[in-house]
Structures are given as structure tokens and as C-alpha cells.
Amino acid sequence: MTRKTLLGTATLALLATGSMAPVAMAQDETAITMIQCGDALAEGYDGFIKEWEENNPGYKVDVEIIGWSQCQDKITTLAAAGTPVGLAYVGSRTLKQFAENGLIVPIPMSEEEKGSYYPNIVSTVTYDGTQWGVPVAFSTKSLYWNKDLFEEAGLDPETPPKTWAELYDMAATITEKTDAAGYGLSAKTFDNTMHQYLHWVYTNNGKVIDENGEIVLDSPQNLEALTWYGKMVDVAQEGPTAYEQDDLTALFNDSKVAMIQQGPWVRVRLDEGLNWDVAPLPLGPQAEGPGTLLITDSLAVFEGTGYEEQAIDLAKWLTNPEHQFFYEKTHGLTPLRPVDGVEEMVAEDPTWGPFLDGISNGGPEPLFTDYKAFQNAMIDMVQSVVTGDKEPEVALKDAAEEIDAYK
């Protein structure tokens, strides 16, 4: 994919907002431009940036805050047009596409740096043996269950399902004996549908791409995952293609579904009167231990600003173990590293435990040169099985052949 093609995928109107090329702040001062997605500067970043500026005389950090709906498009537009931002918050899924188009620079990690993270985290930013971003936000998923609905259905409210078979059977009992659906199933045309399916892949020892870069989606493990995903329609809310994870969270909050897969941030968003708990994701027959999809966002450094080394240093400063753990605690994110304070966090609130348990056998969001096309193919695959348009084996084979062109 060329820079011209990349530019075509972004919103061209955003380019009119102006160049993000190096700005002279004063005769002896250069601005490092930085884009952060969201509504405000991350809590603590103002102090971290001020410290970095004091330690790096001659450089000033110029941060632009852009809303989530436009952020990634603007970052892509500026880079493809040759007017890149210096440092930006991006979904790690985009790193391969940026790297292959020569838009970002490598951010290699030492063995010590790699070893500071939980297992498999570094793989989320690694392509062709090189790291292309610094992880800055991390999410895992666990199973939330409604204890009152379990009890109403005659199930032990303290015993969540541990396997896919138990998940289905318990969901079927709840569907039959209560007014709620047993399980919240995502199949909307939305990126979360692919993510939800990948949780099933990584709880059955599956992969999408192997170590040699070959597509291995069409595997027995993944076929089992897709077959069970389709089977859950029988015990799910009506019309799964209308729902993504936040829609399902609302149903869970209203006791209309008994179980959902969600991230740790949901723990503080549930109604005070809801009687719930959280457990590791149920496991498939091929699982070697608890698993989950490992999703990271990263700080990426763009090519062509003239201050790439300083931007790399800034990225690593903002995400050093101390700063990063503060950021995670503030935003309710799964920790990236087993730093001091994590054990105390879990001891204080045991509901954190399941979100850490799945990391060791988890897998990354696969990196593709055309990530959007890959994502759409995966969503189409899941929807075709959920709606009954295709048998799982056919849908999986068709998707595997399609996504090979996007790797």
C-alpha cells in the first residue's frame, strides 16, 4: 500500500487543520508534536512531560488532543501527506501498516525492557522481529456473571462456568428458567465482534498467524471456537448482530443477560445493587491454560520530523514502569508489567485477578498490512455463522483464504 492509498483511507478534510511538522518555539527550542486521542491529556502526563522537558533543554512538547472518532484518521492523513506528527497514540493493530509504508521508525527494546512486561505483551507491537511502538494501554477480558440470575435458575451463584460446555449448559438453564438470556453474544458490524471471537480462539490454543507469518486461521482449534460461537446463539439475547460489547454491558446491568465477556473498566460502571462477580474466560477443549485476546494501544514515532530520537526517548519516559502503572490505575486498565503495587491491587480487590490470569496463554491482535480489510473479513465470517448463512467450516476456510491477501 502506498502513501497515496493510505491518504485515501483517511478523512481528507482533516489535513486542512495544518501541518504537524517541527515547530520552532524559540531560537534554541524545537517543538516535539504529539497527538493524544481522547477528551483530555492523560492524568499525570502534564507533570511527566514537564520533567522530560527539564531534562531535555532545547525541546518543548506540543500536545494536541483529538477525539477518538477522528484521531486515527488525522494521524494517518498527516503521515501519508508527509507532514507527520512526532509522536502519537495509535492502536497497535496499525503498526505493521505504518511500518511497511515507511511512516514510522522502529523503537527497539532491550532484553531487559522486553522482560519487564507480562508474557506476550511485546508481541503486540512486534513485526518482522522489530518493535514499532511502546505499549501504553492494555486490555484483557474476563467473564462477568450475575449471581442472582444463577440462583434464580437453580445454579450455584458462587460457581461460574470453567469450560465452553459449562458456559453453554449454564446459559441454557438460565434462558429456560428465567426471563433473562443466558449469555450476551456480540455480532454487530463493529470491531468488537472480531475481538470477541478472538477471545474464543485464545481460550482454545488457537492462532491467526503463526511465527513464520503464515495464515493458520483454518485450524481445528479455530473451527471449534467458531462452532461454539455459533452455538451460543441458542442461549443468547435476541438478534446478536445488533449488539457490541457496550450494548451487552447495558443488558447485563439491567439483568437481561446473565453472562458477558468484558474488560476491567466495567467493574466500576455496574449498578451498585447488581450482584455480580468475575472469573477467567471459560476454556475450550484444546486450551493449555487461561487465555484472552491481548489488545494494546501504543505510542508510535513517525518518520521525517528530524527529532525521532527525542520522540522515542519521550515515549519511553511516559511509559516507564512507574509512570505507566500510575496511568493504568487512573484509567482502570490491566497492568502491562508485574510492577510493585500489582499484588497489592489484587489483594485489595480480587476482581482484578481474572484479568491477569489469562495473559500467560493470551495472544495478540494480529498485525496486517490492511487491518481494516482483515477485520471486516473476520466480522463477516462470524456474522455468517451467527445468522446461519454458512456452516462454520465453510466460513472459516473462506475467511482464511481472503485474509491471506491482507497479511
Side-chain angles (χ1 to χ4, degrees), residues 156-267:
D156 181 356
E158 303 302 325
T159 304
K162 296 180 176 61
T163 66
W164 294 351
E166 290 180 358
L167 175 67
Y168 180 87
D169 290 344
M170 290 181 182
T173 299
I174 292 165
T175 301
E176 178 185 353
K177 296 186 176 182
T178 76
D179 293 331
Y183 183 75
L185 188 68
S186 173
K188 192 173 185 176
T189 304
F190 197 76
D191 60 0
N192 177 247
T193 289
M194 181 192 69
H195 293 158
Q196 292 286 335
Y197 170 67
L198 288 176
H199 288 296
W200 289 69
V201 167
Y202 291 129
T203 51
N204 200 41
N205 198 31
K207 294 180 180 178
V208 175
I209 303 178
D210 67 13
E211 294 76 8
N212 299 315
E214 297 300 316
I215 300 297
V216 291
L217 179 66
D218 187 10
S219 71
Q221 294 93 331
N222 296 343
L223 178 58
E224 286 178 325
L226 189 57
T227 300
W228 276 94
Y229 202 98
K231 185 178 175 68
M232 295 304 295
V233 173
D234 300 338
V235 295
Q237 81 286 355
E238 186 176 351
T241 55
Y243 292 88
E244 53 94 8
Q245 67 177 1
D246 289 338
D247 303 320
L248 296 174
T249 301
L251 293 184
F252 184 78
N253 224 357
D254 291 337
S255 295
K256 293 181 179 179
V257 297
M259 293 179 279
I260 58 171
Q261 293 182 174
Q262 255 290 18
W265 51 87
V266 169
R267 295 158 43 259

Side-chain angles (χ1 to χ4, degrees), residues 77-398:
T77 299
L78 292 169
T83 56
V85 64
L87 179 67
Y89 184 114
V90 302
S92 298
R93 66 185 72 90
T94 65
L95 293 174
K96 181 176 181 178
Q97 185 173 359
F98 281 136
E100 290 218 334
N101 281 277
L103 300 178
I104 57 175
V105 301
I107 309 180
M109 297 182 186
S110 67
E111 292 304 313
E112 181 180 359
E113 287 174 317
K114 294 177 188 177
S116 72
Y117 291 92
Y118 280 114
N120 303 314
I121 301 298
V122 175
S123 67
T124 67
V125 298
T126 301
Y127 162 59
D128 200 22
T130 299
Q131 290 74 56
W132 295 90
V134 184
V136 69
F138 178 40
S139 73
T140 55
K141 295 294 196 315
S142 293
L143 182 79
Y144 288 78
W145 85 95
N146 183 314
K147 291 185 176 184
D148 288 342
L149 287 174
F150 267 55
E151 188 168 18
E152 183 181 342
L155 300 171
D156 181 356
E158 303 302 325
T159 304
K162 296 180 176 61
T163 66
W164 294 351
E166 290 180 358
L167 175 67
Y168 180 87
D169 290 344
M170 290 181 182
T173 299
I174 292 165
T175 301
E176 178 185 353
K177 296 186 176 182
T178 76
D179 293 331
Y183 183 75
L185 188 68
S186 173
K188 192 173 185 176
T189 304
F190 197 76
D191 60 0
N192 177 247
T193 289
M194 181 192 69
H195 293 158
Q196 292 286 335
Y197 170 67
L198 288 176
H199 288 296
W200 289 69
V201 167
Y202 291 129
T203 51
N204 200 41
N205 198 31
K207 294 180 180 178
V208 175
I209 303 178
D210 67 13
E211 294 76 8
N212 299 315
E214 297 300 316
I215 300 297
V216 291
L217 179 66
D218 187 10
S219 71
Q221 294 93 331
N222 296 343
L223 178 58
E224 286 178 325
L226 189 57
T227 300
W228 276 94
Y229 202 98
K231 185 178 175 68
M232 295 304 295
V233 173
D234 300 338
V235 295
Q237 81 286 355
E238 186 176 351
T241 55
Y243 292 88
E244 53 94 8
Q245 67 177 1
D246 289 338
D247 303 320
L248 296 174
T249 301
L251 293 184
F252 184 78
N253 224 357
D254 291 337
S255 295
K256 293 181 179 179
V257 297
M259 293 179 279
I260 58 171
Q261 293 182 174
Q262 255 290 18
W265 51 87
V266 169
R267 295 158 43 259
V268 297
R269 297 181 184 174
L270 297 176
D271 291 344
E272 187 174 339
L274 194 69
N275 188 13
W276 61 275
D277 208 339
V278 64
L281 296 176
L283 302 181
Q286 307 300 322
E288 295 183 351
T292 179
L293 171 63
L294 310 175
I295 300 179
T296 68
D297 291 335
S298 307
L299 294 180
V301 173
F302 285 79
E303 178 78 58
T305 63
Y307 50 74
E308 289 87 347
E309 290 303 315
Q310 289 77 19
I312 290 173
D313 189 72
L314 174 60
K316 291 193 174 185
W317 169 257
L318 291 174
T319 59
N320 71 30
E322 179 183 352
H323 295 164
Q324 183 62 36
F325 188 51
F326 177 87
Y327 177 85
E328 290 157 353
K329 287 192 298 181
T330 302
H331 293 272
L333 299 170
T334 308
L336 284 160
R337 300 177 177 95
V339 295
D340 291 342
V342 172
E343 289 186 5
E344 291 81 356
M345 181 182 75
V346 176
E348 181 179 331
D349 183 353
T351 61
W352 268 112
F355 296 98
L356 300 174
D357 292 340
I359 295 175
S360 59
N361 289 289
E365 209 172 357
L367 301 184
F368 277 75
T369 54
D370 191 341
Y371 187 84
K372 283 287 188 182
F374 159 66
Q375 176 180 282
N376 290 338
M378 294 289 283
I379 293 170
D380 289 345
M381 176 192 75
V382 172
Q383 288 179 332
S384 71
V385 172
V386 166
T387 58
D389 290 340
K390 287 184 181 180
E391 292 298 318
E393 188 170 6
V394 174
L396 194 71
K397 182 177 180 181
D398 289 348

